[in-house]
Amino acid sequence: MPNARLTTPSRRGILAAGGALGLGAALAACGSDSKDSGSGPKSGSAKSGPWSFKDDRGTTAKSDKIPANIVAFTGVAAALWDYGIECKGVFGPTKTSDGKADVQAGDIDVDKVTIIGNEWGRFNIEKYAGLAPDLLVTTVYDTAGTLWSVPLESKDKILKLAPSVGISVYDRQMTQPLQRLLALAESLGADVKADKVVKAKQRFEAAAARLRKAAKAHPEIRVLVGSASQDIFYVSGTNLSADLEYLKSLGVNFVEPSEKAKKASGGWFENLSWENIDKYPADIIMMDNRTATIQPADLEKPTWKKLPAVKAGQVIPRVTEPIYSYAKCAPILEDLAEAIEKAKKVG
């Protein structure tokens, strides 16, 4: 994602910049080209077809064979990778400026996959067509079925080249996209009964039980979810965001920004000046971990350093755009459970 902010961000712009879950600076992000490239690994399944999958837009993707040349948004590709389905191409934050894997890339071998756009909204159509895609997969963050990071101005050209699947992560708990991506992976040939997959799901369920227990034992601990830009500190609400809705259902006591402020941002978050970031008392702060946002270690704002949770060392990452595999979501629950178990009441 680029670092320029929109003066009056659209709903789509807000989501892109602050993230899918309503956090971060409103970063301008629509484009159609990228200079990034890579070589695609083996992908898809060797099984025969026909193949079909009904996605969360109500659209059924069909093919006379199981897709092999799959192109997906980076985080989705990372989830499929955990189930043994390797995508040939990816679009979205994949490599950092030093060539390392972005946090959204998970365990993908970023040097072997073809990158057709290395930031949100960047999508090189020519490179995509050159992969002879059988399937495009991404997430959906609204009720309109808008495909995440597929540029609106060129989506018609893009969607003519291959069937597409949209997995919704909007206004539902994270268990739903977890189940849907597992089902998609199975349809593409993944062995969902493999020991690795079964154990990952068991770990996730154990982590959920641990977090529920921690939240119940420490109901006084308030958790604030934030994201930092140069000029604004964003406080996320828990509605609409699949991760936060699920964590709240487990009993986590989240700080909720004002409804009036959230309404102005489409229901996602409240933006505060750095002078006013102490508006909401909190004992733990979860900070947007994406590379497009300022990380806690780089924050030099005096008002930030004065926050009780910061002074107490009770700041943890928030995986703002989760990789929806059980293997990647279990640590999210474990880390928050540990933070709540150890937290001191400071807010």
Side-chain angles (χ1 to χ4, degrees):
M1 288 176 285
N3 293 321
R5 289 192 300 112
L6 295 173
T7 303
T8 307
S10 65
R11 181 183 180 84
R12 185 172 172 85
I14 287 171
L15 294 180
L21 309 177
L23 290 177
L27 313 172
C30 267
S32 59
D33 296 301
S34 171
K35 296 181 180 179
D36 300 286
S37 64
S39 57
K42 294 180 181 179
S43 58
S45 168
K47 292 184 179 181
S48 60
W51 174 87
S52 68
F53 186 86
K54 186 174 182 179
D55 74 1
D56 295 336
R57 301 170 297 169
T59 300
T60 299
K62 298 180 180 180
S63 177
D64 58 2
K65 62 179 180 179
I66 293 179
N69 292 347
I70 304 167
V71 176
F73 180 72
T74 304
V76 174
L80 292 174
W81 183 285
D82 285 348
Y83 296 125
I85 304 298
E86 298 184 16
C87 293
K88 192 169 186 179
V90 296
F91 56 99
T94 306
K95 283 186 177 182
T96 57
S97 58
D98 58 3
K100 296 181 180 179
D102 188 272
V103 293
Q104 295 189 55
D107 295 329
I108 293 174
D109 187 335
V110 296
D111 292 321
K112 292 184 179 180
V113 69
T114 297
I115 303 172
I116 62 173
N118 196 38
E119 58 187 47
W120 188 92
R122 295 288 177 179
F123 197 111
N124 189 307
I125 301 175
E126 291 74 23
K127 188 176 289 186
Y128 176 61
L131 293 176
D134 296 324
L135 179 66
L136 182 146
V137 190
T138 186
T139 46
V140 172
Y141 285 94
D142 58 24
T143 57
T146 306
L147 294 175
W148 187 242
S149 199
V150 175
L152 290 175
E153 70 274 15
S154 52
K155 71 177 181 65
D156 291 341
K157 292 181 181 179
I158 293 168
L159 298 182
K160 285 179 180 178
L161 297 174
S164 62
V165 165
I167 301 297
S168 180
V169 293
Y170 174 76
D171 197 17
R172 62 199 60 210
Q173 295 183 15
M174 68 164 21
T175 47
Q176 291 177 266
L178 276 169
Q179 293 164 2
R180 294 291 285 147
L181 271 166
L182 182 64
L184 175 62
E186 182 177 23
S187 80
L188 295 170
D191 180 4
V192 299
K193 294 182 180 179
D195 188 59
K196 176 182 177 181
V197 177
V198 172
K199 287 184 176 179
K201 188 174 182 181
Q202 291 173 341
R203 179 184 174 187
F204 177 85
E205 292 168 347
R210 177 184 175 185
L211 180 55
R212 184 183 287 108
K213 182 179 179 180
K216 185 176 181 180
H218 303 280
E220 75 285 358
I221 298 299
R222 302 187 72 202
V223 180
L224 182 146
V225 181
S227 183
S229 71
Q230 188 60 41
D231 301 317
I232 299 173
F233 182 78
Y234 297 83
V235 179
S236 180
T238 57
N239 294 334
L240 307 181
S241 302
D243 64 326
L244 301 185
E245 286 199 10
Y246 182 60
L247 299 177
K248 182 171 63 175
S249 78
L250 296 177
V252 177
N253 181 13
F254 283 107
V255 170
E256 292 287 352
S258 74
E259 290 301 320
K260 182 179 180 181
K262 286 194 297 181
K263 186 176 180 180
S265 68
W268 296 93
F269 58 83
E270 177 176 358
N271 54 322
L272 300 174
S273 67
W274 283 100
E275 290 74 21
N276 296 313
I277 64 170
D278 59 353
K279 179 178 179 179
Y280 297 107
D283 305 293
I284 294 172
I285 300 176
M286 297 178 70
M287 288 292 287
D288 189 340
N289 74 330
R290 290 168 306 164
T291 53
T293 63
I294 302 175
Q295 297 305 299
D298 299 318
L299 275 171
E300 298 296 332
K301 305 285 186 179
T303 50
W304 165 258
K305 293 182 177 181
K306 290 180 181 179
L307 291 176
V310 175
K311 293 171 69 175
Q314 295 176 175
V315 178
I316 65 173
R318 186 254 178 131
V319 183
T320 308
E321 291 187 54
I323 294 168
Y324 284 100
S325 72
Y326 289 102
K328 293 298 185 292
C329 285
I332 295 173
L333 276 57
E334 292 167 347
D335 292 346
L336 181 55
E338 181 178 7
I340 291 174
E341 290 163 354
K342 295 180 177 180
K344 297 178 181 179
K345 182 66 181 175
V346 295

